């Protein structure tokens, strides 16, 4: 399960795994339950999903788990085969024996593997170096060879050549041959798959049942088309049938799925479905005198319709994107380009490119697919003609004499180096699995985009050093009014540029205004407030007291007024973003007070400044009054999860906290420290309280007995505690003796008797109230501190950690209650109750608790209870399937993102995904380029934070649900959830309820 400190710090790709981090004991010591836990984890990785179940079980029984603690060097004799579970590793190859000459060929990510050379005892083909803390699954040579001998046929298509199959694919294997002029728009399809054929029949029968007028003979230009539907009517009808159909374009993609399979056909055999007055005919209507469905068939179709729509909704986005990409670039519409561009925003290989370049790529990308594993995409030594991005599937990178050096997966790219350097291909690319899809950029388009980027880039230099890099906007309003976008620059020059170009008459959605807002939000990353104030006060060009250039008195006056208005505008935006954080910096309040004094004086002469006086006065008074109150420290009890039932207030850096710290004998001392206290400050306070002269270690001890050593410079250490975790302090020689407290085990009996009589709607409402309080306390800057590391800011992220902790708590609550319910009929009632609560959470737009409940129900300890699920009524199974589809991680969680776009604020979002987006942008892009701030990166991260701001742009209305008379009891219950957070305990309880079937 996601621990609060790991939800937002772990690798983004592991973010949504629902099992606890694998802690593999030695193979001989594993129980059946252990193997089951490991099996559940491994099946979450694409690389293992195609292995035969018996092979997977063998792997679970013999594999070891380890952190990468060494470097595997090229030329060494291998002893084990490895698969990457988390983190990433660089693959380096050297043409000489000197490892210092090694060149990085690629990076291995989650789900990739290396070490197949142990099959024939050849030296390792490459050096493997960890880029970050990485978890590996290891199989020793003897066991791996045994598996290879037993499952050779199964593994041959999965292992990399030369051990697996490798063949050169003909042009017929590819959806397109290599001549772009000869490519068909769509592949040829054989008989429709059984599931899609049934899906088409269900859709046809449902239309004939609900809207029979849609299928009829139609006349157009004196010609009669028999038993047809109109494209726009099909889209209208589908959008009305289910909330999982998010947009009209989504519906187009769903009909495209049926059209590609031949279940639905255009009357003139056109190959792309369109939301237009065009005629389409179901396969069942192709033959004359097709009988209408019977009442029994209609009833069956009505029952199957929700599941069919859900299935098509999951396939629709891919079908729509592929249909658009198959169009020749010149035929793509503006809407088509936006859909492609949106897809490119979430491809990691493109994360470092500017949005302008991504828009250029959207207009030239070509879709290419290959059907068979083993197909050679290109060979080492050939001329480079295209750059590829993997949209679906995986490929092996093969070098002559070295074999497979790495595997590339969805989102990775290859082939760019040969285009940039105009050199032959450095390796061969071989498909690792069937049905791989690629996005391709041909050399001519690639070079043109590079030329256009360079031509539209302006570099401003001082003393021969670039200090500001601008990009000419392709969307200039007129030839004489060219706009520039900041790509990078020194902090001072970026601020100067925004002040010089700021317009006072533009709307907040104007790109220039958005860029200023991005700077105000993000400057703490690269320009601390102290530096910000200096620029305001001492910069002679763009500050409040800027010196006007030579000119008439009127011109000098207009210049001075314009500068002052720009500075005041920026200052008000800056204060609005920082809110209560301003009280933590006395210099900030002094700056605002001085600015207010200057404006008050100047406004008597300059009427243009009068509008700013009330707003600035309000800001200064508010923060001056709060600064006086701040000396009254807030005491917060956190260490045992004893949150008070009063309305939650933001935890601030200057607050104090009462923290229980335990000793190895389970006694404890309570200390009072600052919220932002470091690990060393906490240990010092504990030592003083205990009058101890020992060097103490600060340890986070989980309920499973896992020990996490907290570093002396860790900030706000209390907020990293897991749900049932406790803080211990002990000398180093007592570290191994630390054991969990008895109360860390969690409850021994469920609380169903307490909440089964509570209304599901009341429970969801009180959960939403509490979640909204927690969400409202999270400052936008906490998202930045979390992403860039709070140690470098010396700031707390306690409010964000509390919100994430709540997500884990709700998720574990679901699992705990189910696993502690011994009666089968009661467990079925529990599942129904949780599904109802989830439905009401979605109704209240509380997506955070909605996802927590659904993830709790999909935890292995709950999902394996087949007897319980079999007893669940089909209506609830359909609801759960629809809810679970919103968790679909494909296409970067497209289902969830489309759902959010249809909801108006206030919204409580699924915060782990937003943090994943920010981590993705941060880790994929450098913060500084050539000693200048990479402002393109700042803009992307700011856009994610704006999504959080949008969710809170409207206040939550507590009157949406009239509370019942027992609302105080419900409120108290949802704020004090007791859970078991030890996955092994939950799994053991699950097996007691329903033992493994033999």
């Amino acid at each position: 399960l996601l621990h609060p400190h790991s939800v937002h710090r772990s690798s983004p790709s592991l973010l949504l795994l629902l099992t606890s981090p694998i802690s593999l004991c030695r193979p001989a010591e594993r129980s059946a339950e252990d193997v089951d836990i490991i099996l559940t984890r491994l099946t979450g990785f694409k690389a293992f999903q195609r292995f035969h179940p018996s092979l997977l079980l063998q792997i679970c029984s013999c594999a070891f788990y380890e952190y990468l603690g060494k470097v595997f060097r090229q030329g060494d004799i291998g002893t084990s085969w490895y698969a990457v579970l988390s983190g990433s590793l660089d693959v380096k190859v050297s043409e000489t024996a000197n490892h210092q000459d090694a060149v990085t060929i690629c990076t291995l990510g989650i789900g990739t593997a290396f070490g197949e050379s142990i099959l024939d005892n050849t030296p390792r083909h490459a050096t493997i170096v960890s880029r970050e803390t990485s978890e590996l699954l290891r199989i020793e040579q003897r066991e791996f060879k045994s598996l290879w001998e037993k499952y050779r046929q199964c593994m041959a298509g999965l292992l990399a050549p030369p051990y697996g199959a490798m063949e050169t694919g003909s042009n017929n294997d590819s959806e397109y041959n290599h001549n772009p002029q000869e490519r068909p728009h769509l592949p040829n399809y054989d008989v429709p798959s059984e599931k899609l054929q049934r899906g088409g029949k269900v859709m046809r029968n449902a239309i004939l049942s609900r809207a029979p007028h849609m299928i009829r003979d139609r006349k157009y230009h004196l010609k009669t088309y028999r038993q047809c539907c109109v494209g726009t009517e099909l889209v209208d009808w589908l959008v009305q049938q289910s909330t999982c159909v998010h947009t009209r374009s989504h519906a187009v993609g769903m009909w495209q799925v049926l059209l590609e399979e031949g279940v639905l056909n255009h009357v003139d055999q056109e190959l792309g479905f369109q939301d237009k007055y065009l005629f389409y005919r179901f396969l069942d209507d192709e033959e004359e005198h097709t009988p209408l469905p019977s009442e029994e068939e209609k009833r069956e179709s009505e029952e199957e319709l929700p599941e069919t729509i859900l299935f098509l909704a999951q396939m629709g986005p891919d079908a729509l994107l592929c249909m658009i990409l198959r169009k020749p670039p010149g035929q793509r519409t503006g809407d088509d380009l936006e859909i492609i561009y949106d897809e490119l925003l979430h491809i990691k290989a493109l994360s470092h490119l500017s949005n302008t370049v991504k828009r250029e790529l959207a207009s030239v990308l070509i879709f290419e697919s290959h059907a068979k594993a083993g197909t050679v995409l290109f060979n080492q030594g050939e001329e480079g003609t295209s750059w590829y991005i993997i949209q679906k599937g995986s490929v092996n990178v093969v070098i002559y004499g070295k074999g497979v050096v790495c595997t590339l997966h969805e989102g990775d790219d290859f082939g760019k180096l040969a285009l940039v350097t105009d050199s032959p291909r450095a390796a061969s690319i071989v498909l690792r699995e069937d049905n791989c899809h690629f996005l391709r950029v041909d050399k001519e388009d690639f070079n043109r985009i590079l030329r256009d980027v360079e031509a539209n880039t302006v570099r401003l230099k001082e003393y021969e050093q670039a200090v500001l890099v601008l990009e000419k906007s392709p969307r200039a309003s007129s030839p004489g009014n060219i706009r520039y976008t900041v790509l990078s620059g020194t902090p001072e020059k970026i601020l100067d540029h925004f002040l010089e170009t700021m317009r006072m008459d533009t709307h907040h959605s104007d790109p220039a205004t958005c860029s200023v807002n991005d700077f105000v939000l993000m400057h703490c990353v690269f320009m601390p407030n102290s530096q910000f104030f200096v620029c305001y006060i001492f910069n002679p060009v763009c500050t409040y007291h800027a010196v006007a250039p030579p000119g008439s008195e009127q011109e000098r006056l207009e210049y001075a007024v314009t500068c002052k208005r720009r500075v005041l505008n920026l200052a008000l935006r800056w204060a609005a973003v920082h809110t209560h954080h301003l009280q933590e910096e006395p210099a900030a309040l002094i700056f605002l007070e001085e600015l207010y004094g200057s404006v008050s004086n100047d406004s008597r002469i300059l009427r243009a400044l009068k509008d700013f006086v009330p707003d600035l006065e309000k800001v200064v008074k508010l923060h001056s009054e709060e600064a006086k109150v701040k000396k009254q420290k807030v005491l917060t009890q956190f260490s045992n999860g004893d949150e008070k039932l009063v309305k939650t207030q933001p935890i601030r850096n200057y607050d104090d906290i009462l923290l229980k710290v335990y000793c190895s004998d389970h006694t404890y001392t309570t200390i009072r420290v600052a919220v932002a206290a470091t690990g060393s400050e906490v240990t010092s306070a504990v030592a003083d309280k205990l009058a101890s002269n020992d060097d103490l270690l600060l340890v986070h001890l989980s309920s499973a007995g896992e020990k996490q050593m907290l570093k002396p410079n860790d900030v706000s250490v209390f907020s990293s505690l897991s749900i049932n975790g406790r803080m211990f302090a002990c000398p180093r020689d007592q570290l191994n003796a630390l054991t969990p407290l008895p109360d860390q085990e969690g409850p021994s009996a469920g609380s169903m008797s307490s909440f089964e009589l509570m209304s599901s709607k009341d429970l969801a409402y009180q959960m939403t109230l509490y979640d909204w309080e927690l969400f409202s306390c999270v400052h936008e800057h906490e998202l930045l501190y979390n992403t860039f590391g709070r140690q470098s800011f010396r700031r707390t992220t306690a409010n964000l950690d509390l919100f994430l902790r709540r997500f884990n708590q709700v998720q574990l609550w679901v699992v705990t209650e189910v696993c502690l319910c011994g009666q089968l009929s009661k467990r079925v009632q529990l599942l129904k109750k949780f599904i109802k609560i989830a439905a009401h959470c979605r109704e209240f737009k509380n997506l955070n608790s909605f996802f927590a409940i659904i993830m709790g129900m999909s935890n292995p300890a709950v999902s394996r209870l087949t007897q319980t699920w079999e007893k669940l009524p089909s209506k609830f199974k359909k609801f759960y399937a629809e809810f679970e589809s919103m968790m679909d991680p494909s296409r970067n969680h497209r289902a969830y993102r489309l759902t959010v776009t249809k909801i108006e604020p206030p919204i409580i979002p699924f915060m782990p995904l937003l943090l994943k987006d920010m981590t993705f942008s941060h880790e994929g892009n450098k913060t500084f380029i050539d000693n200048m701030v990479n402002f393109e990166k700042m803009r992307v991260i700011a856009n994610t934070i704006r999504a959080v701001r949008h969710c809170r742009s409207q206040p939550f209305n507590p009157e949406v649900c009239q509370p019942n008379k027992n609302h105080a009891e419900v409120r108290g219950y949802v704020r004090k959830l007791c859970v078991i957070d030890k996955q092994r305990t939950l799994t053991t309880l699950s097996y007691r309820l329903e033992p493994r079937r033999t």
Side-chain angles (χ1 to χ4, degrees):
L1 284 165
L2 301 174
H3 296 291
H5 58 275
S6 65
V7 166
H8 50 290
R9 292 177 180 81
S10 62
S11 168
S13 301
L14 286 175
L15 188 66
L16 297 178
L17 280 178
L18 304 177
T19 54
S20 60
I22 297 178
S23 183
L24 300 182
C25 48
R26 297 190 63 80
E29 301 170 358
R30 286 177 203 151
S31 65
E33 289 83 356
D34 295 335
V35 172
D36 194 63
I37 292 173
I38 301 167
L39 178 64
T40 302
R41 175 75 184 270
L42 293 188
T43 51
F45 296 97
K46 183 180 290 187
F48 294 102
Q49 287 172 354
R50 293 179 57 200
F51 278 70
H52 191 276
S54 58
L55 171 58
L56 265 180
L57 281 172
Q58 294 266 4
I59 291 175
C60 294
S61 300
C62 70
F64 290 82
Y65 163 86
E66 63 180 48
Y67 280 98
L68 181 61
K70 58 182 178 180
V71 174
F72 301 94
R73 293 198 178 276
Q74 181 178 345
D76 291 350
I77 301 297
T79 59
S80 299
W81 176 84
Y82 296 86
V84 184
L85 299 179
S86 76
S88 57
L89 307 94
D90 283 334
V91 179
K92 298 174 178 285
V93 176
S94 171
E95 296 296 331
T96 67
N98 189 348
H99 296 296
Q100 295 179 346
D101 297 337
V103 176
T104 300
I105 299 297
C106 65
T107 299
L108 299 177
I110 296 168
T112 56
F114 61 94
E116 289 95 336
S117 62
I118 61 174
L119 285 172
D120 51 14
N121 295 315
T122 56
R124 295 203 182 274
H125 307 309
T127 297
I128 308 292
V129 181
S130 178
R131 302 181 74 202
E132 56 186 311
T133 303
S134 300
E135 298 172 286
L136 303 178
L137 179 139
R138 176 172 66 86
I139 301 179
E140 293 182 340
Q141 185 178 34
R142 182 169 58 84
E143 282 75 16
F144 189 76
K145 282 187 172 183
S146 174
L147 290 174
W148 171 250
E149 290 301 322
K150 189 173 181 180
Y151 298 98
R152 180 190 298 265
Q153 186 174 358
C154 173
M155 299 175 73
L158 298 170
L159 287 187
Y163 311 106
M166 180 171 177
E167 59 183 66
T168 301
S170 67
N171 289 345
N172 294 329
D173 293 330
S174 168
E175 182 170 316
Y176 298 134
N177 55 40
H178 291 286
N179 184 348
Q181 302 303 320
E182 297 176 5
R183 296 184 188 114
H185 293 311
L186 279 172
N188 293 321
Y189 289 93
D190 298 323
V191 178
S193 69
E194 184 177 343
K195 189 167 185 178
L196 283 172
Q197 192 164 12
R198 178 60 189 168
K201 187 179 290 289
V202 167
M203 299 290 274
R204 172 182 176 269
N205 291 349
I207 290 174
L208 288 171
S209 175
R210 299 184 178 190
H213 64 279
M214 287 175 56
I215 302 178
R216 65 179 190 271
D217 293 349
R218 299 176 186 268
K219 289 185 178 180
Y220 187 72
H221 285 189
L222 304 180
K223 184 176 179 180
T224 299
Y225 296 89
R226 188 179 46 78
Q227 294 298 96
C228 294
C229 308
V230 173
T232 51
E233 293 180 2
L234 287 173
V235 171
D236 289 338
W237 180 83
L238 189 51
V239 168
Q240 294 168 6
Q241 302 309 306
S242 173
T243 56
C244 68
V245 184
H246 305 291
T247 61
R248 294 188 69 84
S249 61
H250 189 192
V252 168
M254 294 166 68
W255 288 119
Q256 178 68 23
V257 172
L258 296 179
L259 189 140
E260 289 185 1
E261 286 285 325
V263 178
L264 182 73
N265 297 296
H266 184 268
V267 293
D268 289 333
Q269 304 306 309
E270 293 206 9
L271 301 173
F273 186 91
Q274 297 185 59
D275 186 6
K276 294 181 178 179
Y277 191 80
L278 298 175
F279 297 158
Y280 298 91
R281 184 183 295 120
F282 282 98
L283 181 63
D284 286 350
D285 291 319
E286 291 290 346
E287 297 182 10
E288 293 189 29
H289 310 301
T290 303
L292 293 174
S294 66
E295 290 303 314
E296 177 67 18
E297 289 174 326
K298 286 183 180 180
R299 186 186 60 78
E300 289 177 355
S301 294
E302 285 292 331
E303 291 178 356
E304 295 178 38
L305 184 62
E307 186 178 346
T308 299
I309 291 178
L310 191 60
F311 172 63
L312 292 174
Q314 292 170 337
M315 300 181 67
D318 283 350
L320 177 66
L321 181 67
C322 291
M323 180 182 74
I324 292 170
L325 288 169
R326 289 184 185 108
K327 294 181 182 179
Q331 295 181 14
R332 293 172 190 167
T333 66
D335 289 340
D336 292 342
L337 295 178
E338 282 300 316
I339 290 172
I340 301 173
Y341 171 71
D342 184 62
E343 180 75 11
L344 300 186
L345 289 176
H346 305 296
I347 295 178
K348 63 182 179 182
L350 308 180
S351 61
H352 65 288
L353 300 178
S354 72
N355 290 340
T356 302
V357 173
K358 289 172 187 169
R359 289 192 180 277
E360 288 283 332
L361 287 173
S363 64
V364 301
L365 280 170
I366 295 170
F367 178 80
E368 181 174 326
S369 72
H370 296 267
K372 294 182 180 179
T375 300
V376 178
L377 205 57
F378 55 72
N379 285 301
Q380 183 176 345
E382 292 179 353
E383 178 188 357
T385 57
S386 300
W387 171 37
Y388 292 87
I389 301 158
I390 304 174
Q391 188 193 23
K392 175 185 174 184
S394 58
V395 299
N396 285 319
V397 181
V398 182
I399 295 180
Y400 295 144
K402 300 182 184 299
V404 175
V405 293
C406 68
T407 300
L408 304 178
H409 294 266
E410 182 178 317
D412 292 329
D413 69 317
F414 56 88
K416 185 164 57 176
L417 183 63
L419 302 189
V420 173
T421 61
D422 205 26
S423 56
R425 298 290 193 190
S428 298
I429 299 294
V430 184
L431 266 65
R432 192 169 182 267
E433 55 188 283
D434 292 341
N435 196 26
C436 291
H437 294 179
F438 304 92
L439 304 179
R440 193 184 80 228
V441 182
D442 290 335
K443 187 173 184 177
E444 183 179 342
D445 293 320
F446 181 84
N447 290 334
R448 178 185 59 76
I449 291 173
L450 288 182
R451 288 195 303 270
D452 289 347
V453 168
E454 190 58 36
N456 288 321
T457 302
V458 178
R459 290 177 174 81
L460 304 182
K461 295 185 177 182
E462 288 183 357
Y463 305 107
E464 301 302 317
Q465 291 290 323
V467 292
L468 188 65
V469 180
L470 306 174
E471 182 180 60
K472 189 185 297 182
S473 173
R475 301 181 177 185
S477 55
S478 64
N481 183 21
I482 299 175
R483 290 182 177 177
Y484 290 92
T485 302
V486 175
L487 296 182
S488 60
T490 63
E492 296 81 4
K493 289 301 176 184
I494 294 174
L495 177 58
D496 286 352
H497 173 78
F498 287 142
L499 285 170
E500 287 176 13
T501 58
M502 183 188 294
R503 295 176 58 187
M504 307 298 291
D505 58 346
T506 56
H507 191 267
H508 286 293
S509 60
D510 181 78
T513 304
C514 288
S515 293
V516 174
N517 291 337
D518 293 344
F519 179 88
V520 170
L521 177 61
M522 300 295 299
H523 79 80
C524 63
V525 173
F526 54 84
M527 186 185 201
N529 279 331
S530 56
Q531 187 180 352
F532 182 74
F533 302 147
V534 169
C535 285
Y536 254 121
I537 297 169
F538 297 109
N539 188 324
V541 180
C542 296
T543 62
Y544 185 83
H545 301 292
V547 179
S552 66
E553 184 175 345
Q554 182 63 28
E555 289 173 341
R556 291 168 62 85
L557 181 62
E558 289 178 357
Y559 177 88
V561 170
T562 300
C563 281
K564 293 177 190 298
R565 285 173 59 82
R566 287 172 174 169
V567 166
L568 291 170
N569 188 300
L570 188 64
L572 287 171
R573 295 187 196 188
W574 173 79
V577 167
H578 282 69
T579 60
H580 63 259
H581 280 195
L582 292 175
Q583 289 119 45
E584 298 170 17
E585 294 191 58
L589 294 177
I590 293 172
F591 164 72
L592 287 172
E593 288 169 355
E594 290 180 352
L595 188 61
Y596 171 61
S598 298
V599 176
S600 299
N601 293 330
D602 292 345
S603 64
R604 298 168 188 166
I605 303 170
L606 305 174
R607 292 184 177 180
L609 302 183
K610 283 190 174 182
D611 293 344
F612 290 95
V613 175
D615 292 337
L616 200 56
E617 181 182 21
K618 184 178 178 181
V619 170
V620 170
K621 281 187 176 180
L622 173 67
H623 293 298
S624 296
E625 290 172 3
E626 289 193 6
K628 294 174 184 176
V629 178
K630 92 172 190 182
K631 295 177 183 177
Q632 301 171 359
K633 301 280 188 178
V634 179
L635 301 177
T636 309
Q637 181 69 25
F638 191 96
S639 56
N640 278 341
D642 298 332
E643 291 81 10
K644 296 180 181 178
L645 298 184
V646 297
K647 185 174 181 180
T648 306
Q649 298 296 326
I651 299 173
R652 308 186 180 187
N653 242 45
Y654 51 74
D655 292 342
D656 276 359
I657 181 171
L658 290 178
L659 185 63
K660 283 184 180 178
V661 182
Y662 291 83
C663 301
S664 57
D665 60 359
H666 289 185
T667 59
Y668 69 87
T669 183
T670 302
I671 59 172
R672 175 173 169 167
V673 291
V675 161
T678 62
S680 59
E681 289 168 344
V682 171
T683 51
S684 177
V686 172
D688 290 345
K689 194 78 178 285
L690 298 177
S692 170
N693 295 322
D694 295 328
D695 288 333
L696 299 178
L697 300 175
L698 199 60
V699 182
H700 168 214
L701 185 67
S702 73
S703 60
E706 296 169 346
K707 305 177 185 71
Q708 180 191 358
M709 304 274 289
L710 300 174
K711 299 175 183 176
N713 65 336
D714 283 347
V715 177
S716 197
V717 291
F718 73 92
S719 66
S720 67
L721 289 175
S722 58
I723 303 294
N724 292 339
R726 298 292 182 266
M727 192 83 72
F728 280 73
C730 67
R732 183 172 294 276
D733 59 2
Q734 295 180 12
L735 180 62
N736 293 331
L738 295 184
T739 57
L741 303 169
D743 67 349
Q744 286 186 253
E745 287 292 326
S748 57
S751 61
M752 184 179 178
S753 58
S754 300
F755 77 89
E756 67 177 336
L757 299 179
M758 298 177 186
S759 158
S760 299
K761 190 168 187 176
D762 286 349
L763 284 163
Y765 173 67
Q766 290 296 338
M767 290 171 72
T768 301
L769 269 182
Y770 187 39
D771 287 359
W772 181 258
E773 289 176 17
L774 294 173
F775 179 45
S776 299
C777 290
V778 178
H779 195 284
E780 290 175 355
H781 279 172
E782 289 188 61
L783 304 175
L784 294 178
Y785 303 153
N786 171 77
T787 302
F788 288 86
R790 59 189 179 189
Q791 280 76 14
S792 55
F793 296 93
R794 274 302 300 268
R795 301 283 186 179
T796 184
T797 59
N799 298 293
L800 176 60
D801 293 335
L802 260 179
F803 187 45
L804 294 170
R805 174 190 177 104
R806 175 62 176 178
F807 178 89
N808 293 327
Q809 189 179 44
V810 172
Q811 186 180 170
L812 286 163
W813 169 58
V814 173
V815 188
T816 300
E817 292 298 332
V818 173
C819 290
L820 289 176
C821 184
Q823 192 175 338
L824 177 60
S825 60
K826 290 283 188 182
R827 284 201 303 278
V828 175
Q829 292 302 314
L830 260 181
L831 292 185
K832 290 170 63 177
K833 186 84 170 178
F834 285 131
I835 291 171
K836 288 179 182 178
I837 295 171
H840 288 303
C841 283
R842 188 174 71 164
E843 177 189 341
F844 294 136
K845 297 182 279 193
N846 181 358
L847 301 181
N848 204 59
S849 281
F850 169 79
F851 271 91
I853 292 169
I854 300 305
M855 285 186 175
M857 295 179 72
S858 61
N859 183 283
V862 177
S863 63
R864 65 164 298 279
L865 299 173
T866 53
Q867 297 173 39
T868 308
W869 285 96
E870 286 169 1
K871 297 286 186 181
L872 189 68
S874 59
K875 180 177 75 171
F876 285 91
K877 288 179 182 176
K878 289 175 182 176
F879 282 140
Y880 178 71
E882 180 185 340
F883 296 163
E884 201 174 31
S885 72
M886 289 179 60
M887 291 168 41
D888 179 15
S890 64
R891 291 288 175 268
N892 197 30
H893 302 273
R894 186 198 299 270
Y896 167 79
R897 296 180 194 279
L898 288 173
T899 299
V900 172
T901 60
K902 294 178 68 176
I903 303 176
E904 294 296 323
I907 306 167
I908 304 177
F910 178 40
M911 186 59 78
L913 182 57
L914 291 169
L915 294 174
K916 173 191 170 186
D917 288 343
M918 294 181 66
T919 304
F920 175 85
S921 301
H922 172 52
E923 294 182 350
N925 300 275
K926 294 180 179 179
T927 303
F928 295 94
I929 301 174
D930 298 330
N931 296 319
M932 294 183 290
V933 177
N934 179 5
F935 199 73
E936 190 72 17
K937 171 180 176 175
M938 303 299 129
R939 189 177 288 111
V940 172
I941 293 177
N943 195 46
T944 303
I945 297 178
R946 268 198 296 273
V948 176
R949 188 180 297 173
H950 170 72
C951 292
R952 298 191 291 205
S953 59
Q954 297 294 327
F956 178 72
N957 179 15
E959 303 301 323
V960 293
C961 178
Q962 293 297 324
N964 289 340
K965 58 184 178 182
N966 66 337
H967 76 277
E969 182 184 355
V970 178
R971 172 187 169 89
Y973 177 80
V974 301
R975 293 177 183 237
K976 298 280 289 181
L977 300 177
C978 297
V979 303
I980 299 170
D981 69 349
K982 186 177 176 182
Q983 183 65 33
R984 186 178 294 276
T985 300
L986 292 168
T987 303
T988 301
L989 290 170
S990 175
Y991 275 97
R992 287 177 187 169
L993 297 175
E994 294 185 21
R996 184 194 298 272
R997 291 181 178 178
T998 57

